[in-house]
Amino acid sequence: MTLTTIGRPLFLGEPVPGSPRVRIFCPYCAGFHTHNMRPDEEIVHRLAPCDVPDSPLHTTGYWIQRRATAVEPLRPKRRRVKLRSAGEGES
């Protein structure tokens, strides 16, 4: 979710486990940008290391607010399928 703060977007930064870094999802390059963030910082301004040359984030930068905990990635549920042995179910 992106909010706007003084003409600059605000992203929620997901903590990187075991690191002082946070990562945000960039809507312009569809990738993640990681930034250092001290434990005592709640909101910081950063410039974008975006690969998209005409990204407006190069000139405005963005604000990052640390999310309380890392978000678990969504994983598809596995379906168990019972395999039939050869000849089973044939009449």
Side-chain angles (χ1 to χ4, degrees), residues 48-81:
C50 193
D51 291 335
V52 177
D54 59 346
S55 168
L57 299 179
H58 288 298
T59 55
T60 64
Y62 45 80
W63 293 96
I64 303 171
Q65 180 175 6
R66 183 190 311 272
R67 194 185 292 264
T69 58
V71 176
E72 288 296 319
L74 295 176
R75 294 186 180 102
K77 292 183 179 181
R78 293 184 181 195
R79 290 182 19 205
R80 293 186 180 205
V81 177

Side-chain angles (χ1 to χ4, degrees), residues 31-45:
F32 287 94
H33 299 310
T34 57
H35 297 278
N36 285 332
M37 201 169 169
R38 292 190 321 260
D40 61 330
E41 294 177 312
E42 290 185 30
I43 297 178
V44 295
H45 183 265

